[in-house]
């Protein structure tokens, strides 16, 4: 008499399990794409190319048409950029671009009190 109840439950729950599995794959793929974009952003920071950094920032912040929550917030991306730059600064030391800049020359003049502190 009650044999049909488990059968009905199985038929009704089967699409739910399929949907859960599909969403799990989608979120895993989204995570992989974001991680790949963050790795590319990390490399662009090493190259010090502002255009690429802005490109990857926009790419990570822009919501996709199929998934609005797929995008990272601009604050999160800027926080990651700050973390990446701090890490690269610890690893790479002082940038040659900074040492050759006018800003560094002015700092050296102020600190040493000499016009040509070389």
């Amino acid at each position: 008499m009650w044999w049909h109840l488990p059968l009905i439950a199985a038929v009704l729950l089967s699409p739910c399990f399929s949907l859960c599995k599909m969403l799990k794959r989608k979120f895993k793929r989204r995570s992989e794409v974001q991680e790949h974009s963050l790795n590319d952003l990390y490399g662009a920071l090493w190259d010090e190319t502002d255009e690429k950094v802005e490109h990857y920032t926009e790419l990570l912040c822009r919501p996709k048409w199929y998934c609005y929550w797929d995008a990272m917030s601009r604050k999160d991306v800027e926080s990651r950029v700050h973390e990446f730059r701090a890490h690269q600064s610890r690893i790479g030391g002082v940038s040659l671009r900074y040492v050759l800049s006018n800003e560094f020359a002015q700092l050296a003049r102020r600190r040493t009190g000499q016009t040509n502190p070389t």
Side-chain angles (χ1 to χ4, degrees), residues 3-4 9 13 20 23 30 38 42 47 50 54 62 68-70 89 91 98-99 111:
W3 60 269
H4 63 286
L13 291 177
C20 288
L23 289 174
R30 177 189 61 135
L38 285 170
Y42 183 79
D47 296 338
D50 293 331
E54 187 59 33
R62 182 179 7 160
Y68 183 75
W69 62 86
D70 198 21
S89 179
I91 291 173
Y98 176 67
V99 171
R111 297 257 174 107

Side-chain angles (χ1 to χ4, degrees), residues 34-75:
Q34 274 186 352
E35 196 61 37
H36 181 71
S37 296
L38 285 170
N39 288 337
D40 290 345
L41 174 61
Y42 183 79
L45 286 171
W46 273 116
D47 296 338
E48 296 184 21
T49 53
D50 293 331
E51 297 84 22
K52 282 186 179 181
V53 172
E54 187 59 33
H55 167 73
Y56 286 114
T57 301
E58 289 299 320
L59 183 70
L60 288 164
C61 290
R62 182 179 7 160
K64 313 303 185 270
W65 65 270
Y66 56 86
C67 185
Y68 183 75
W69 62 86
D70 198 21
M72 294 175 70
S73 72
R74 183 166 285 280
K75 185 177 179 181

